[in-house]
Amino acid sequence: MKKIHILLFIFICRLSLAQEINLQTGDFLFQVGKGSDFEKAIVSSTQRLENLNFSHVGVVYIEDDIFVLEAEPDKGVVKSTLKEFIENGDITVVGRLKEEYQYTIPDAINRILKHIGGPYNFTFQVLGEGLYCSELIQKNFILNNGEHLFEPISMSFRNNDTGEIHDFWIQYYDKYGVSIPEGEDGSNPNMIATSQHIYIIGIIDN
């Protein structure tokens, strides 16, 4: 079933490449980065999506213009223009919540807006200061029963090919003087992209 879901995901993306996408508030923008060491380490430590493997995610917010609410290392939690967001990656894929979960969007956006100007969570720890990109979404989309729409998963910093902790992360956490949060609750862009609560509607052409 998982295999079918992933293949369908890739198929829809390919079909939608040339289509015009009418973005709406609450849409998720999943991004394949430009290949920094940081992005490569994220990609090598999260589940594979065959042809695509996302290193970043933001959420669309429409006022007088189209913005993207995101948490990124250089600026923390920010409201970027759509153009700024797209230019920071190579591929941007659009996901949308299924109709039955659309009601979570207004409150989620209001919660996220309160974090604007806040720091980035460089340690990815549950109690770490600030928020990282997928954490910004995972912690703020909440169902009527109080549960998170996107349940956290156990984080892994192991290289998908070797099963060993990636050298990048060993050096990274040495710099911060904290233990690698292997197995702690967390999230990543691929986890949200493959959630049963959303569907993929296409690719924004850079």
Side-chain angles (χ1 to χ4, degrees), residues 189-202:
N190 286 340
M191 162 198 134
I192 296 172
T194 56
S195 169
Q196 62 182 347
H197 304 320
I198 76 166
Y199 60 98
I200 300 300
I201 62 176

Side-chain angles (χ1 to χ4, degrees), residues 42-48 53 156 158-164:
I42 291 173
V43 166
S44 71
S45 301
T46 57
Q47 69 264 40
R48 296 179 184 278
N53 206 327
S156 176
R158 297 182 182 278
N159 187 298
N160 282 323
D161 295 322
T162 67
E164 301 295 326

Side-chain angles (χ1 to χ4, degrees), residues 70-81:
E70 59 173 331
E72 58 103 16
D74 292 336
K75 299 177 183 178
V77 182
V78 293
K79 183 174 76 171
S80 304
T81 65

Side-chain angles (χ1 to χ4, degrees), residues 100-131:
E100 60 265 39
Y101 303 108
Q102 291 275 326
Y103 76 87
T104 65
I105 293 173
D107 285 345
I109 295 297
N110 287 335
R111 292 187 191 98
I112 291 172
L113 287 172
K114 292 177 182 177
H115 290 288
I116 296 294
Y120 187 82
N121 181 359
F122 285 97
T123 68
F124 304 101
Q125 294 172 317
V126 174
L127 299 179
E129 181 184 13
L131 296 163

Side-chain angles (χ1 to χ4, degrees), residues 57-194:
V57 61
V59 60
V60 172
Y61 175 55
I62 300 177
E63 292 183 302
D64 53 330
D65 201 350
I66 301 176
F67 297 96
V68 182
L69 306 179
E70 59 173 331
E72 58 103 16
D74 292 336
K75 299 177 183 178
V77 182
V78 293
K79 183 174 76 171
S80 304
T81 65
L82 179 62
K83 184 174 184 290
E84 289 171 336
F85 184 90
I86 292 173
E87 287 179 347
N88 283 333
D90 278 344
I91 299 173
T92 301
V93 174
V94 184
R96 180 167 294 168
L97 281 177
K98 293 180 180 178
E99 187 64 32
E100 60 265 39
Y101 303 108
Q102 291 275 326
Y103 76 87
T104 65
I105 293 173
D107 285 345
I109 295 297
N110 287 335
R111 292 187 191 98
I112 291 172
L113 287 172
K114 292 177 182 177
H115 290 288
I116 296 294
Y120 187 82
N121 181 359
F122 285 97
T123 68
F124 304 101
Q125 294 172 317
V126 174
L127 299 179
E129 181 184 13
L131 296 163
Y132 56 89
C133 69
S134 58
E135 185 183 25
L136 184 68
I137 291 170
Q138 189 272 319
K139 286 190 172 179
N140 288 297
F141 278 81
I142 299 174
L143 298 167
N144 279 338
N145 62 7
E147 295 181 357
H148 292 286
L149 177 61
F150 304 105
E151 288 297 322
I153 60 172
S154 294
M155 291 190 293
S156 176
F157 296 83
R158 297 182 182 278
N159 187 298
N160 282 323
D161 295 322
T162 67
E164 301 295 326
I165 298 290
H166 198 293
D167 288 343
F168 176 91
W169 293 122
I170 293 173
Q171 297 172 21
Y172 182 89
Y173 280 97
D174 279 348
K175 180 178 69 175
Y176 286 99
V178 297
S179 299
I180 298 174
E182 178 75 16
E184 288 189 14
D185 282 349
S187 61
N188 62 61
N190 286 340
M191 162 198 134
I192 296 172
T194 56

